[in-house]
Amino acid sequence: MSNLKVKTMAEVAANGEQVEYLFWVGCAGSFDERAQKITKAIAKILNAANVTFAVLGTEETCTGDPAKRAGNEFLFQMQAMQNITTLNNYGVKKIVTACPHCFNTLKNEYPALGGNYEVIHHSQLLQQLLDEGRIKIQGGSFKGKKIVYHDPCYLGRANNIYEAPREVIKKLDAELAELKRSRAKGFCCGAGGAQIFKEAEKGNKEVNNERAEEALAEKPDVIAVACPFCNLMLNDGVKHYQQENKVSVKDIAILIQEAADL
């Protein structure tokens, strides 16, 4: 990502500089090839909007969310304390992340352990940048397309963030469609609660296929997501129904990056 002008907090500190945001990348955004595209899209958008930011790079470790959801509180606290020490050493005040799981953990569970930060989700920052005119979409490649939005559990039901991602999609001059199960009555993609890291239990249908089927029933051009795990699960669900050539699954950051031609 060196060509994207991404600095590490270590570089920023060594130069005596300050940045507005620490961009928390998360495990999916760091290591998964499909989610890396979301990370790059956010970096391009922040650079285009002249938002100063830096990443932790190799100093970033897992927030501890999967360990906590899987019931290992001891491991969670070990991972959290390591991150809090790093963040506090750099004097981090504001964090932006594309992962609702990281967002929820950093925002709601780190304060009890001494990690107090202003944490926002990338959908909130994208809405702000678009509203302020710092990112402009002229025409846009999604104009007139039908986009259906899937609410990530940890963004919607856990943190009541429903409007920001929808407002971002509306800027595309697209037709925003709602799933039958949406907002507070949304349905999981199948990855949450550390489920993505374990083998599926016995049942009649995979959760991600159930959700993909529901989304495909709306006959959209695009299924929009705001979580790297939802992105992976719904992409796999669309492929299961062999619809990947007709319907794309895209994070809202990629929608904005493509529409703004960044």
Side-chain angles (χ1 to χ4, degrees):
M1 287 176 62
S2 56
N3 61 326
L4 296 177
K5 294 190 297 183
V6 177
K7 294 180 179 179
T8 64
M9 287 301 293
E11 290 170 337
V12 168
N15 294 333
E17 300 170 350
Q18 286 190 323
V19 290
E20 187 176 0
Y21 289 100
L22 167 73
F23 175 19
W24 188 276
V25 179
C27 61
S30 297
F31 300 115
D32 184 88
E33 199 172 316
R34 288 177 286 183
Q36 284 172 355
K37 294 175 183 175
I38 302 168
T39 304
K40 291 176 181 176
I42 293 169
K44 288 176 182 176
I45 290 166
L46 295 180
N47 281 330
N50 293 316
V51 176
T52 59
F53 72 99
V55 298
L56 284 175
T58 55
E59 290 187 275
E60 181 186 300
T61 65
C62 179
T63 60
D65 167 79
K68 188 176 183 71
R69 305 302 156 224
N72 194 335
E73 181 68 22
F74 177 68
L75 178 57
F76 161 70
Q77 292 203 16
M78 281 179 58
Q79 291 177 307
M81 289 308 299
Q82 180 180 341
N83 285 321
I84 289 167
T85 300
T86 303
L87 292 167
N88 289 351
N89 282 344
Y90 284 123
V92 169
K93 298 286 190 291
K94 294 164 80 173
I95 300 174
V96 61
T97 181
C99 177
H101 300 265
C102 296
F103 169 77
N104 180 69
T105 305
L106 293 164
K107 181 177 187 290
N108 299 322
E109 290 165 351
Y110 274 29
L113 300 171
N116 295 285
Y117 320 104
E118 181 187 335
V119 187
I120 69 167
H121 186 253
H122 78 310
S123 61
Q124 297 171 300
L125 184 55
L126 287 173
Q127 182 190 8
Q128 180 186 325
L129 296 175
L130 287 162
D131 287 347
E132 292 172 357
R134 293 168 71 180
I135 292 291
K136 290 184 171 59
I137 300 169
Q138 287 151 351
S141 52
F142 298 99
K143 189 171 184 177
K145 296 281 178 73
K146 185 175 183 180
I147 300 177
V148 66
Y149 173 65
H150 161 81
D151 286 289
C153 298
Y154 275 91
L155 190 64
R157 286 179 291 174
N159 286 283
N160 291 313
I161 297 173
Y162 298 112
E163 300 310 324
R166 286 171 170 81
E167 289 301 316
V168 170
I169 294 167
K170 286 175 185 174
K171 301 284 187 188
L172 299 168
D173 291 330
E175 178 194 344
L176 174 60
E178 292 285 351
L179 289 162
K180 286 185 174 65
R181 289 182 282 190
S182 66
R183 297 182 183 262
K185 294 181 180 177
F187 187 71
C188 183
C189 72
Q195 294 296 312
I196 195 169
F197 299 114
K198 60 185 272 296
E199 290 298 318
E201 293 164 30
K202 288 181 181 178
N204 298 323
K205 187 189 282 187
E206 296 283 1
V207 175
N208 64 315
N209 292 342
E210 168 94 6
R211 189 56 162 168
E213 184 178 28
E214 195 172 321
L216 291 169
E218 299 297 325
K219 296 189 166 35
D221 297 298
V222 179
I223 301 170
V225 295
C227 169
F229 292 111
C230 295
N231 181 57
L232 303 180
M233 299 300 276
L234 289 175
N235 256 304
D236 287 347
V238 169
K239 284 178 182 171
H240 174 79
Y241 292 108
Q242 300 177 327
Q243 296 293 307
E244 65 268 28
N245 293 327
K246 296 178 183 176
V247 180
S248 57
V249 180
K250 292 179 185 283
D251 188 272
I252 56 172
I254 291 179
L255 292 175
I256 296 303
Q257 178 220 327
E258 292 181 0
D261 197 25
L262 298 176

